[in-house]
Amino acid sequence: MPWYKKLHWQIILGLVLGLIFGVVAAAQGWSDFTSDWIAPWGEIFLRLLLLIAVPLVLASLITGVASLSDLKKLSRIGGKTIAIYIGTTVIALIIGLALVNLLEPGSGVPAEMREKLQTTFADQAAEGLETAAAAAKRGPLYPLVSMVPGNFFEAASNNRNMLQIVFFAIFAGIALLMIPKEKAKPMLDLFDSLNDMIIRMVEIIMLFAPIGVFALMAGTITSIAGDDLGQIMELLGALGFYCIVVLLGLVAHMTVTYGSMVRFLTPVKIMDFMRALAPAQLVAFSTSSSGATLPITMERCEKELGVSEEVSSFVLPLGATINMDGTGLYQAVAAVFIAQTIGMDLDLSAQVTIVLTAVLASIGTAAVPGAGIIMLVIILESVGIPSAGIALILGVDRILDMCRTVTNVTGDATVAVVVAHGEGQLKDMTQLAVSN
Ligand code: ASP
């Protein structure tokens, strides 16, 4: 197949053209045209992905759990998955903290820029602070409570409640394992066929991905820059070093941590892994949502990397909701950056507190755009950094959100491949050429 027919190249083309179009539109004052006529196509693409996320998790997880031979296997795979998720998040946080302490991006921000940022983003920051304050008021066991849905339809009606759907699906799968086989069969057949139907829907939506990604990129750039490209350039000038530190951390974590996991813990070649996952990473970059990307991550892991459905249907939905290494790394860098900018010293115990709260915060972060900065407030408060400080970094948050979401999705896929190989459930794909 010629290279330009391959899906990931088409998506890259869409992304680059979207970027160029967005910049030209901002420079030429076409932001109204872009938001009226271009951005809606991106919104449709995003909605299609979100539309299938809940039924996909439900169907694949129920069939995945119910097809396990016994409950011991479920607790083994579950325990392993959660341990690796937490372990990699801690590594990501340590990388972030090491870089931000070493490079000190916050010490170079001039005082007048700091004041300007704080006044410009004060209103947006206040909104975030309100949401975070409501979250902080809840008791220590709230994360556990919020995992259990009180009403199935309420849980299914909001993509932010994905963890509740995961809970329901595992619970239902276990119950199906415990009833006589002939009674369970009709339900399993139903979910099995639902699963196949949804996977086919993902494939159809992916045909539309290059255009969807183009429109999302163009829309995002004009919504950040409006008709004034100079404003974003000024912001990047002031916060550029901070952005570079976050990006360095994300790249280091992806290449060193995930790279060595794939290299040493699985038989998959790094290049094959990258090529297979590229469409999911590109969609993660343009949607800033690991929840919206989940259908594609699952499709790529199963069809291109050879992860069994049993493993992918358990590991990936769980990962999309609780495993956010990119978000954790960004939160650690952002917290210390804000402290450095306002001249506050953070000792070792404060940095350890950041690691502990950031692990919990990244678990609690919803897989939607901009969720990470809201949870950042909780981390700031745990070490006494004024939470209004998020105003300092809000201007560039969307750009970093796109990048950290790529890391989040890559982390989930890495763990899926590692767990599948450990369970003897990784098909050898070298025989089958990577089709896209
Ligand atoms: N947008 C991120 C995700 O969906 C979450 C965040 O860090 O805001 O993975």
Side-chain angles (χ1 to χ4, degrees):
M1 196 196 291
W3 67 272
Y4 57 85
K5 281 204 173 155
K6 291 186 178 161
L7 182 62
H8 61 269
W9 284 116
Q10 292 185 351
I11 303 180
I12 290 176
L13 193 68
L15 197 141
V16 173
L17 290 178
L19 253 168
I20 297 173
F21 183 90
V23 172
V24 173
Q28 300 288 324
W30 298 343
S31 65
D32 283 347
F33 171 81
T34 312
S35 57
D36 286 349
W37 294 100
I38 307 284
W41 300 104
E43 178 71 21
I44 291 174
F45 176 61
L46 186 63
R47 283 183 183 216
L48 285 172
L49 289 173
L50 290 169
L51 170 69
I52 53 173
V54 168
L56 172 67
V57 170
L58 198 64
S60 66
L61 205 47
I62 290 182
T63 40
V65 172
S67 66
L68 291 172
S69 41
D70 58 75
L71 287 181
K72 256 198 230 125
K73 197 169 173 190
L74 176 67
S75 42
R76 190 183 65 231
I77 297 184
K80 212 192 275 184
T81 305
I82 292 173
I84 307 180
Y85 277 158
I86 294 180
T88 51
T89 306
V90 172
I91 297 175
L93 286 163
I94 294 174
I95 294 177
L97 282 178
L99 284 174
V100 71
N101 282 299
L102 210 71
L103 301 173
E104 293 194 27
S107 32
V109 181
E112 60 286 8
M113 190 64 202
R114 189 175 71 211
E115 265 138 44
K116 188 170 172 212
L117 286 171
Q118 253 158 343
T119 38
T120 319
F121 292 100
D123 288 350
Q124 273 185 53
E127 269 171 44
L129 291 183
E130 248 171 59
T131 322
K137 261 198 222 118
R138 298 161 186 152
L141 288 185
Y142 184 76
L144 211 60
V145 176
S146 67
M147 215 184 281
V148 185
N151 180 309
F152 173 78
F153 294 100
E154 206 179 291
S157 70
N158 189 339
N159 285 301
R160 281 178 175 265
N161 294 341
M162 199 71 89
L163 206 49
Q164 298 190 345
I165 295 294
V166 170
F167 177 88
F168 176 84
I170 295 177
F171 195 13
I174 292 175
L176 280 174
L177 264 179
M178 294 166 85
I179 60 177
K181 279 218 164 60
E182 69 283 1
K183 291 261 177 166
K185 195 172 178 305
M187 283 296 271
L188 281 178
D189 286 346
L190 173 74
F191 282 117
D192 213 20
S193 121
L194 185 63
N195 209 7
D196 286 355
M197 178 188 93
I198 292 166
I199 297 280
R200 182 39 61 95
M201 287 166 90
V202 178
E203 287 168 4
I204 299 170
I205 296 170
M206 281 309 277
L207 298 175
F208 181 57
I211 297 172
V213 165
F214 167 83
L216 278 169
M217 287 310 298
T220 308
I221 292 189
T222 38
S223 73
I224 302 176
D227 284 334
D228 181 6
L229 208 56
Q231 181 199 329
I232 191 124
M233 287 305 163
E234 196 189 352
L235 258 179
L236 281 178
L239 297 174
F241 193 22
Y242 154 70
C243 294
I244 290 174
V245 174
V246 174
L247 293 181
L248 259 180
L250 295 177
V251 171
H253 188 52
M254 286 205 283
T255 47
V256 180
T257 316
Y258 300 152
S260 15
M261 284 169 75
V262 173
R263 170 85 176 73
F264 297 113
L265 302 178
T266 79
V268 179
K269 292 208 181 68
I270 304 230
M271 281 318 284
D272 290 343
F273 179 80
M274 294 300 295
R275 205 172 311 132
L277 203 64
Q281 290 172 320
L282 293 165
V283 170
F285 184 77
S286 38
T287 59
S288 284
S289 166
S290 23
T293 314
L294 177 64
I296 303 169
T297 321
M298 288 181 75
E299 196 242 3
R300 303 310 289 183
C301 283
E302 287 171 21
K303 297 268 166 69
E304 306 292 337
L305 288 167
V307 175
S308 73
E309 208 181 305
E310 192 178 297
V311 168
S312 93
S313 65
F314 178 76
V315 175
L316 292 173
L318 196 68
T321 43
I322 70 162
N323 181 47
M324 302 215 177
D325 294 0
T327 301
L329 189 148
Y330 143 83
Q331 286 168 332
V333 175
V336 179
F337 171 76
I338 294 171
Q340 287 170 349
T341 312
I342 57 175
M344 203 179 142
D345 245 355
L346 292 177
D347 58 11
L348 189 66
S349 80
Q351 311 237 1
V352 173
T353 311
I354 291 182
V355 173
L356 295 178
T357 33
V359 169
L360 295 177
S362 71
I363 292 175
T365 304
V368 296
I373 197 161
I374 305 288
M375 298 305 274
L376 174 64
V377 174
I378 295 174
I379 299 168
L380 295 181
E381 283 181 354
S382 72
V383 283
I385 303 170
S387 39
I390 59 168
L392 289 172
I393 52 167
L394 257 168
V396 289
D397 196 61
R398 179 61 197 234
I399 302 169
L400 295 180
D401 194 2
M402 296 158 93
C403 304
R404 64 190 188 239
T405 308
V406 173
T407 308
N408 292 345
V409 167
T410 311
D412 300 340
T414 306
V415 177
V417 177
V418 169
V419 172
H421 181 61
E423 289 294 317
Q425 297 200 38
L426 189 68
K427 261 183 267 152
D428 180 8
M429 301 302 276
T430 45
Q431 315 307 337
L432 305 163
V434 174
S435 60
N436 284 309

